[in-house]
Amino acid sequence: MAELNTLPGLKAKIGDTRARLGQLAFARAFGPLVGFLLAYLAAALFGLFNHVSSVVGAGISLSALLISALLLLRGLRAWRRPSRADAEAMLDRQSPLRPISGLADRPVSATREGQSLWHAHGTKLKQDALHLRVPRFWAEWRRLDPAFLRFVLPALLVGALIFAGPARTNRVQQAFLPNLGALAGADSLRVEAWITPPPHTGRPPVFLEPGMQVVRVPAGSVVTLRAFNRSAPSLVLTSESGRNRQAFDETPDGAYEAKASLSEDTRVAVHWWGERIAWSVLASDDDAPTVRFVTLPAITTDDEMEFEWAVSDDYGVDRLELAIQLQTPHEAAPNAEDRIPVPMGLVAPKDAQETVLLDTMRHRWAGLPVNVQLVAIDGAGQEGRSRTLPFVLPEKLLLQPLAKAAQEIRVTVLREPRSYAPLEINDDALQAGALNTAATQRLDAAPPDVQAASELLDALTLEPERYFEDRSVYFGLRMAHGILMAAPDKAEADSVDTLLWQVALKAEYGSSADALRALLAARRALEQALRDGASEDEIRRLMEAFREAANNYIAAKMAEAMINGTQAPNMSDMGPEGGGSGLGSNQFEDMLNALEDLAETGAADQARQLLSDITNMLENLEFQQGGQSGGDGFAMPGQPGGEEGEEGELPQQEQELTDALEALSDLLREQRELNDDTLAEERGERPGNQPGEGGEGAEEGDASGEGQQDGAEGQGAGEQEGQSQSGGGGLGDRQRGLADRTDQLGQGFGPGGDEETGEGGGGEEGDEDGQGFGLGALDEAARQRLDDIARLQDRAARELEEGNGARANRLQERATGGLRDLSEELAAAIDELQRTREGDMVSEDTQEGELDPFGRAIGGAGVDDDVTIPDEAERQRAKDILDELRRRFEDADDAEEREYLERLLDRF
């Protein structure tokens, strides 16, 4: 053997021969199995199972598997691995010397001659062994495979793979994974499936068909499957979370049903003797809603909370709430949060923006600094929150001491977050005849603020005969005290909310007899605020309270007059359009407006002076008897009434100037609004919905012969027309309409002109002196100035039509200044006429203390000669300056400029 290993290449030849013998032996043993499998697989790839029924296909698969098993068993039994000796013997057959086996022999004789002969024989065998070749076994292969199937079947398989294309995997599975369920009747299985999206999405159900591969539905949808079969199948859900299998439940109608919620991408499959049907379901996430404050919360004149909100959601917002938290929370409840429902105009809006008014005056945190946040909740319960804003919840302004005390006690109870101490078990109370007072009288177990509220109520009602004029207020407070004494828990104690609120309102407003006291209290509160330099919002709220108290007092006096048989004035005379000379005419409304203007512009001394005048006038209010014309109603001391009521009418000359001033004021106001809209358009903002220019109304009034006297009515009609036409056809049209009205107004300022008809002329149409309004040379100058203003407005209209907003705005400012200066001159002329008229009425008794309706010396400037009340033009100018300061403060970008403007605003 050692000599064989020394021969080069002989060992490799023996190995190759052995391998070929092995191939031949494998072919004899497993050739039928391999050939069958190749033919079976090629048939499957060519689509054999697509052309037969599932039952036949299952039978073919099972038969193929069985035949394969038998052939494998036969091969295992016939298989014998060739040995090295078999390979050496096969090589030895090529030479008659048998070199491989000969080299393994040994000489019999050990003589020299024998050794020499054996060495020569060995050399011959080695040379012969080197010429041996590995056999091909062609004859054996021809006898074993005469049809060359070993080449034909692999080629056929390659062709089948190419023919099958992408379906090759499915066809191979059909070949080697028999559909045993088909033999059991799985082909009769019928499945109905549908997916129901969540109700808040508003989407219809999606029915699943066998051909559907991928379905997309909202997350949280429910898939329902109903199977009609001889037995219950299984539902298999496969997702990233894992694999879940659940059985179908039998229904009364003999079917089988299963349901599952889909919160993520899931493969839904029905199994019965294998997988019968499947779908891939993609679950789209439900985004949380978004909500924001469009405008910052503000307090309205009615003490309501006003703001504009905007929400958006992919499927719609179910509800909107306002979350409120104290900026300085109670130590016992640092995370306490209250939510107030915010009304929405639409049902489940997907994208909405609205302005809302909320009444929070009864909230337990009213009047306290809080943080407010909008919370939008969709149908899936997801919340979206806006940014948090600081705010002070508006509270009910109460002036009467008892009302404020009731309100303070009410919020003391409501703001207490702690609960009552638990009730201890009293074994002694279980005895016969025992009274368990601790179960009902639990005030000692109440939290501290509830106990304090009870003590406050007890102290407040200690001596009712001294402090209570209204018995209902006293008994209401005593009832609230009894509720707190007997309340077993915090919820029962909170029930005093409604009772104390009603008591506070009753104590504040009371009956008609309390109206004067409420008026005086409102006056004191407003005076104190003006004296202390309170904030603008606080003064505005107190001003509204004073206005309301004044109206309540007037209503109370009217009711008292009716009860006493005194004839009360007409309600039509109480408004600004009333024609009487008493309190219900324009004079009283103008006084209130003047007071509001003075308070707003920071003129505290003048405001307090006028406030005192109004209050004195109301206190001395007297109703008149009888039905005299012009005096029917109520009058003030020192003012003519009854038969002398007609004396309160203005002279014609003064009335004409007053009408002209009102027309100029309207033009000035509309010109300012148009200036603001022009600036807004230049900045790229959306101009506000300003009234129209009123051109049509003015023209119609002039055509009907009413002229400038009906300027206000023409203006109102023009405003309505302009609003209905979305701004009157543009800024240029509005400016041109103002120019026309200014030109028409100028027709009444000529010598001898008639302001009512707008026609010039002299002689018979004018005054006796032929000077129109009686202003002499000022009339012609005023007319010329109005003509100049009209030309400026007309040029501004042309610039607006050409798109030159900046140039138009400069012209508008010049026109505004001209109108303002002319208004001030007319107001000064009217004041001069009034002083002249009032001076003629002053008698010698004036110096002895006779007062006018405002409590001032007739013809004087007021109780304090050092304090003068500005006229309307001055107040308007002060308001304009204040508004301009605020606008510049909001638009300023420089920090120093903002600081300077803020100091100026603080002075007002």
Side-chain angles (χ1 to χ4, degrees):
M1 184 65 65
E3 295 180 359
L4 291 177
N5 293 333
T6 59
L7 295 176
L10 183 59
K11 185 178 180 181
K13 292 178 181 180
I14 295 173
D16 291 344
T17 302
R18 186 181 180 186
R20 293 186 178 185
L21 286 174
Q23 294 173 1
L24 192 60
F26 182 83
R28 290 192 183 100
F30 298 104
L33 174 62
V34 174
F36 176 76
L37 291 178
L38 291 176
Y40 176 68
L41 184 57
L45 290 173
F46 278 117
L48 170 65
F49 293 94
N50 293 339
H51 297 84
V52 297
S53 63
S54 58
V55 177
V56 174
I60 293 175
S61 298
L62 284 178
S63 300
L65 291 177
L66 180 60
I67 294 173
S68 299
L70 293 176
L71 293 175
L72 178 62
L73 181 61
R74 171 192 171 278
L76 291 174
R77 294 179 62 182
W79 165 253
R80 187 183 67 83
R81 185 179 182 184
S83 63
R84 179 183 176 88
D86 295 336
E88 291 176 354
M90 186 61 65
L91 289 173
D92 273 345
R93 292 177 185 177
Q94 297 180 17
S95 175
L97 296 178
R98 303 285 177 158
I100 295 178
S101 58
L103 289 173
D105 293 340
R106 294 290 180 269
V108 176
S109 174
T111 63
R112 174 179 290 181
E113 294 79 1
Q115 289 293 332
S116 176
L117 181 63
W118 180 255
H119 180 72
H121 177 68
T123 302
K124 177 67 174 177
L125 291 177
K126 290 180 180 179
Q127 294 177 355
D128 197 21
L130 292 176
H131 293 86
L132 295 178
R133 299 182 181 277
V134 178
R136 296 288 184 179
F137 302 109
W138 294 114
E140 288 81 358
W141 281 109
R142 280 196 296 271
R143 288 194 299 271
L144 182 63
D145 182 22
F148 296 97
L149 295 178
R150 64 184 183 276
F151 302 112
V152 174
L153 290 177
L156 183 64
L157 181 61
V158 172
L161 287 171
I162 297 174
F163 176 81
R168 63 175 68 96
T169 303
N170 186 34
R171 293 182 178 182
V172 171
Q173 290 178 353
Q174 290 178 341
F176 293 100
L177 297 176
N179 186 6
L180 300 179
L183 300 176
D187 288 345
S188 62
L189 174 66
R190 185 165 55 91
V191 178
E192 296 177 354
W194 63 91
I195 299 178
T196 305
H200 72 273
T201 63
R203 293 191 175 184
V206 178
F207 290 90
L208 303 179
E209 302 295 339
M212 300 175 66
Q213 298 296 325
V214 179
V215 181
R216 183 176 293 277
V217 295
S221 300
V222 177
V223 58
T224 304
L225 302 100
R226 285 176 59 86
F228 300 90
N229 197 38
R230 62 183 65 179
S231 62
S234 298
L235 175 62
V236 179
L237 304 174
T238 306
S239 63
E240 293 184 358
S241 302
R243 182 183 176 91
N244 181 29
R245 179 186 291 267
Q246 69 181 68
F248 280 65
D249 299 325
E250 188 173 2
T251 60
D253 58 354
Y256 297 93
E257 185 174 283
K259 292 184 178 182
S261 178
L262 306 175
S263 58
E264 57 182 333
D265 295 349
T266 307
R267 188 175 187 272
V268 181
V270 179
H271 284 223
W272 192 78
W273 288 90
E275 185 178 291
R276 300 292 101 193
I277 191 171
W279 299 274
S280 294
V281 181
L282 303 180
S284 301
D285 293 334
D286 185 356
D287 297 332
T290 59
V291 60
R292 62 185 176 89
F293 285 101
V294 179
T295 60
L296 297 178
I299 301 177
T300 66
T301 55
D302 296 329
D303 292 330
E304 291 182 315
M305 182 179 181
E306 181 181 23
F307 58 88
E308 186 176 359
W309 54 263
V311 297
S312 62
D313 187 59
D314 45 3
Y315 297 117
V317 176
D318 185 60
R319 62 185 185 276
L320 184 63
E321 297 175 343
L322 183 69
I324 305 174
Q325 283 188 321
L326 286 173
Q327 293 184 10
T328 305
H330 196 285
E331 58 182 6
N335 298 322
E337 179 184 85
D338 279 3
R339 291 194 178 184
I340 300 176
V342 178
M344 296 187 297
L346 301 175
V347 178
K350 294 183 179 180
D351 193 358
Q353 181 172 330
E354 295 181 13
T355 301
V356 68
L357 292 173
L358 295 180
D359 185 2
T360 60
M361 288 187 292
R362 288 193 59 179
H363 195 273
R364 58 173 177 162
W365 292 334
L368 297 180
V370 297
N371 293 323
V372 295
Q373 189 180 35
L374 285 173
V375 181
I377 307 171
D378 62 9
Q382 300 180 108
E383 292 187 355
R385 290 177 173 262
S386 69
R387 63 189 178 108
T388 301
L389 298 177
F391 189 64
V392 177
L393 283 184
E395 62 178 339
K396 182 66 178 178
L397 181 62
L398 300 174
L399 303 175
Q400 297 299 327
L402 283 177
K404 291 192 289 187
Q407 169 69 355
E408 185 65 27
I409 296 171
R410 170 181 164 272
V411 297
T412 299
V413 176
L414 295 180
R415 292 173 184 173
E416 174 59 74
R418 290 164 286 195
S419 302
Y420 277 52
L423 181 64
E424 298 180 358
I425 299 177
N426 186 4
D427 296 331
D428 296 336
L430 300 178
Q431 300 177 2
L435 296 177
N436 189 8
T437 56
T440 56
Q441 304 294 330
R442 299 199 61 212
L443 188 60
D444 293 339
D449 286 351
V450 175
Q451 296 183 15
S454 176
E455 293 176 359
L456 289 173
L457 285 171
D458 199 16
L460 189 62
T461 57
L462 182 61
E463 296 184 7
E465 66 278 359
R466 295 182 59 183
Y467 304 108
F468 288 86
E469 297 181 4
D470 192 337
R471 296 181 180 179
S472 60
V473 175
Y474 168 75
F475 286 116
L477 295 175
R478 291 306 301 174
M479 182 181 294
H481 179 264
I483 292 175
L484 294 182
M485 289 291 296
D489 50 33
K490 184 61 166 56
E492 186 70 22
D494 288 344
S495 64
V496 300
D497 173 21
T498 303
L499 176 60
L500 288 178
W501 178 260
Q502 294 175 350
V503 169
L505 295 181
K506 179 66 174 175
E508 176 69 18
Y509 300 108
S511 60
S512 59
D514 302 321
L516 180 58
R517 186 165 58 251
L519 176 65
L520 297 178
R523 169 191 171 179
R524 287 192 298 270
L526 183 55
E527 285 180 340
Q528 186 65 33
L530 292 171
R531 188 178 299 109
D532 296 342
S535 64
E536 181 182 347
D537 290 340
E538 182 67 17
I539 291 178
R540 177 178 55 82
R541 295 177 66 239
L542 291 173
M543 181 62 210
E544 290 298 326
F546 179 79
R547 183 187 292 269
E548 182 179 358
N551 292 330
N552 291 339
Y553 178 70
I554 293 174
K557 293 292 288 184
M558 292 178 63
E560 181 180 340
M562 295 178 184
I563 294 174
N564 296 332
T566 306
Q567 185 172 359
N570 252 339
M571 292 306 295
S572 61
D573 294 337
M574 297 300 298
E577 303 298 330
S581 61
L583 191 59
S585 64
N586 286 335
Q587 186 178 7
F588 178 62
E589 191 67 26
D590 291 342
M591 291 165 63
L592 291 177
N593 292 335
L595 176 61
E596 187 173 359
D597 293 341
L598 292 173
E600 181 179 350
T601 54
D605 294 337
Q606 291 90 339
R608 289 198 300 270
Q609 176 66 54
L610 184 55
L611 179 64
S612 175
D613 293 341
I614 295 175
T615 308
N616 293 334
M617 177 186 65
L618 291 173
E619 289 180 4
N620 297 318
L621 191 63
E622 295 179 0
F623 286 88
Q624 306 300 319
Q625 296 283 352
Q628 298 91 340
S629 62
D632 183 15
F634 51 97
M636 298 165 288
Q639 179 178 358
E643 295 179 355
E644 298 176 354
E646 295 181 359
E647 297 179 5
E649 298 180 0
L650 295 177
Q652 180 180 1
Q653 186 178 13
E654 187 176 342
Q655 183 63 48
E656 290 174 351
L657 283 179
T658 302
D659 293 340
L661 179 60
E662 290 178 358
L664 277 177
S665 299
D666 292 338
L667 285 173
L668 180 59
R669 173 180 55 79
E670 294 185 30
Q671 184 63 63
R672 283 171 174 157
E673 292 172 352
L674 187 55
N675 295 359
D676 294 339
D677 287 352
T678 304
L679 286 174
E681 190 174 79
E682 279 296 297
R683 292 193 296 263
E685 302 174 359
R686 180 181 179 184
N689 294 328
Q690 302 296 346
E693 61 271 34
E696 287 188 28
E699 293 174 1
E700 291 175 2
D702 184 60
S704 62
E706 295 299 325
Q708 296 299 329
Q709 183 178 1
D710 294 335
E713 297 178 3
Q715 174 196 349
E719 289 177 358
Q720 295 176 0
E721 182 74 11
Q723 290 176 355
S724 64
Q725 296 178 1
S726 302
L731 299 179
D733 293 342
R734 289 171 56 189
Q735 183 63 77
R736 195 170 300 282
L738 285 179
D740 294 340
R741 290 174 56 195
T742 304
D743 185 65
Q744 292 173 9
L745 183 61
Q747 304 302 320
F749 279 87
D754 187 358
E755 198 272 336
E756 291 187 358
T757 62
E759 297 176 359
E764 296 178 358
E765 298 295 334
D767 291 341
E768 294 179 0
D769 55 0
Q771 296 299 323
F773 292 142
L775 297 180
L778 179 61
D779 290 341
E780 185 61 32
R783 178 180 180 181
Q784 183 61 40
R785 290 168 63 181
L786 280 175
D787 291 341
D788 295 339
I789 294 171
R791 283 193 293 272
L792 288 172
Q793 292 173 330
D794 189 68
R795 289 172 56 192
R798 289 198 299 271
E799 297 295 342
L800 287 172
E801 292 169 352
E802 295 175 0
N804 300 325
R807 190 178 302 171
N809 185 255
R810 290 193 295 269
L811 295 171
Q812 290 172 339
E813 290 294 340
R814 292 172 58 188
T816 302
L819 289 172
R820 182 176 60 248
D821 294 341
L822 187 56
S823 298
E824 292 175 356
E825 293 180 10
L826 278 180
I830 295 174
D831 291 342
E832 181 64 27
L833 290 176
Q834 289 178 345
R835 284 192 294 270
T836 302
R837 174 171 52 84
E838 292 173 357
D840 295 339
M841 298 171 58
V842 175
S843 64
E844 296 296 335
D845 297 334
T846 301
Q847 300 177 359
E848 299 178 4
E850 185 176 342
L851 302 178
D852 67 0
F854 299 105
R856 300 170 297 190
I858 294 179
V863 176
D864 187 356
D865 292 336
D866 296 333
V867 179
T868 58
I869 299 175
D871 58 15
E872 182 178 359
E874 294 177 354
R875 298 198 309 270
Q876 184 61 43
R877 184 175 180 83
K879 291 177 64 177
D880 292 341
I881 295 174
L882 188 59
D883 291 341
E884 180 66 18
L885 287 175
R886 290 170 179 165
R887 186 188 65 79
R888 293 189 180 184
F889 176 76
E890 294 175 356
D891 296 341
D893 296 330
D894 185 67
E896 295 183 359
E897 182 181 0
R898 289 180 62 88
E899 182 180 358
Y900 171 70
L901 293 173
E902 186 175 7
R903 290 199 306 269
L904 288 180
L905 289 172
D906 289 341
R907 296 184 59 185
F908 291 99

